[in-house]
Amino acid sequence: MEEKKEAAATEEATTSEWMSRPNMVSPEEERFRSGGTKCRALNLVSIQQWRKKRRRCARGEETTAGEMNELVDLRCMDGEAQPIALLNGKEDRYGGVEVNLMEVEPMTAEEFYAKLDVSLKAWKDQGKKGIWIKLPCELLSLVDIAIKKGFTYHHAEKEYAVLTSWISDLPSTIPANASHRIGIGALVLNKNREVLVVQEIDGVFKGTGLWKLPTGVIQEGEGIWAGAVREVKEETGIETKFVEVLAFGESHQSFLERKTDIYFLCELEPSTFEIKKQDSEILDAKWMPIEDYVKQPFIQNRENFRYMANICLKRSREEYLGFSTVLTKNLTGKESYLYCNTADFLNGKLDHASTSLFTTLFRKCFCLT
Ligand SMILES: NC(=O)C1=CN([C@@H]2O[C@H](COP(=O)(O)OP(=O)(O)OC[C@H]3O[C@@H](n4cnc5c(N)ncnc54)[C@H](O)[C@@H]3O)[C@@H](O)[C@H]2O)C=CC1
């Protein structure tokens, strides 16, 4: 009866728990005894030796330091033990190793520990520097072990977490997790110099009565200009074409506690004018004379809002120029947008770098004159 209870508890116990309770039967040992072990590196002799050692540790006759290393050593000491395979890793461009556990056979905590231990030793001998481990949600129970072996969280996505460890004696160059969030505010002006404004149902401006520009956050893989067009369409139903980035601002520790928020004030040209507001987020939306928008006390009483509103006002009078987009390619051949002041091209201050630049330039000349 007692044994059964212990076995049931073992199933639920995490590896770290059963490692610290010397009388428990480990899941690995249980599987070995029933003939179904997956870990060929273990055999009964080494398990017994190891359990004796754990009992001695529990009685205080031996230190527990390095207990898991002992397990690995015992495995290697035994004549019948098989060598433990390294974790399957891919070299990165900076002298490190990337281990992707997204598509490997599930492994027990014990197997992972043993493999990680021998892998780290091997990689250290080989002079490797940054070690990256990508763990799918199904293997997140292994995080504990990686952390005990010196790894720290780097970042997480819905499907996985990534941990890193810098094993070189040189200073770490592992890049930080994403540090910024990108948002947009959209200036949409019609021919009567009315600006498209909204009131939001929730958020910081709830209940203030402020008529504000449509704002939003750029999605993964989305261009700033495309995100601005999408947000305006979603919130107000108005179709637009991107014209320019008028200004951008940054504020630190403004998102998820530690992230910097960068927002781009964009001008968009409307091609439809009938408002169909988004019911889930927008309380009301309308076209408002730009002077009335700027005069709102909430805006006049806050320096950054006043600055942005004045830029919008100047822009509505065609007294201000921003940055428009030039489609280019980055080093790896991916599409990359350059946001630049085309007025300087007009004045001959910059070289005309590409055909698409000329196209943009002529479009801008046409729009602005
Ligand atoms: N709101 C404004 O008037 C201004 C906004 N900006 C910039 O515009 C960008 C976007 O600003 P906001 O629209 O105010 O962003 P926000 O962070 O308040 O909201 C963005 C979206 O996420 C949703 N959301 C945010 N936190 C949520 C939560 N805890 N639970 C559920 N939904 C949540 C909101 O409903 C909204 O759809 C930022 O970069 C900001 O700096 C810049 C100046 C003024």
Side-chain angles (χ1 to χ4, degrees), residues 101-236:
L101 298 181
M102 296 294 280
E103 279 155 21
V104 297
E105 287 286 303
M107 67 175 93
T108 63
E110 200 176 23
E111 282 173 302
F112 178 63
Y113 185 94
K115 286 185 171 202
L116 184 58
D117 191 75
V118 291
S119 302
L120 285 172
K121 281 176 189 153
W123 292 329
K124 178 97 183 146
D125 287 348
Q126 291 162 16
K128 299 290 182 230
K129 298 179 198 161
I131 311 299
W132 301 70
I133 298 183
K134 189 173 181 180
L135 284 171
C137 295
E138 307 83 65
L139 293 181
L140 285 187
S141 58
L142 305 183
V143 164
D144 185 34
I145 292 171
I147 285 178
K148 283 189 179 124
K149 294 298 288 178
F151 282 75
T152 52
Y153 288 115
H154 189 270
H155 64 273
E157 297 291 344
K158 278 184 185 158
E159 312 82 10
Y160 59 82
V162 173
L163 291 96
T164 54
S165 177
W166 183 258
I167 60 171
S168 164
D169 296 330
L170 297 169
S172 171
T173 59
I174 288 186
N177 179 17
S179 52
H180 289 64
R181 161 178 96 155
I182 308 288
I184 57 91
L187 171 67
V188 185
L189 281 166
N190 65 19
K191 296 271 184 280
N192 302 324
R193 292 186 59 250
E194 291 171 322
V195 59
L196 181 64
V197 286
V198 298
Q199 286 186 337
E200 291 169 339
I201 292 173
D202 292 316
V204 283
F205 304 107
K206 182 181 175 179
T208 61
L210 172 70
W211 288 99
K212 61 185 277 288
L213 301 182
T215 56
V217 179
I218 302 300
Q219 295 175 351
E220 217 173 68
E222 184 178 54
I224 294 163
W225 63 270
V229 169
R230 174 186 52 74
E231 282 289 348
V232 168
K233 170 78 177 151
E234 278 175 13
E235 293 191 359
T236 66

Side-chain angles (χ1 to χ4, degrees), residues 40 74 78-79 96 98 113 116 160 196 235 266 277 283 309 336:
R40 284 173 298 158
L74 284 172
D78 191 277
E98 290 172 8
Y113 185 94
L116 184 58
Y160 59 82
L196 181 64
E235 293 191 359
C266 302
K277 77 171 183 71
L283 188 68
S336 157

Side-chain angles (χ1 to χ4, degrees), residues 14 59 73 158 176:
T14 64
R59 289 198 296 268
D73 292 344
K158 278 184 185 158

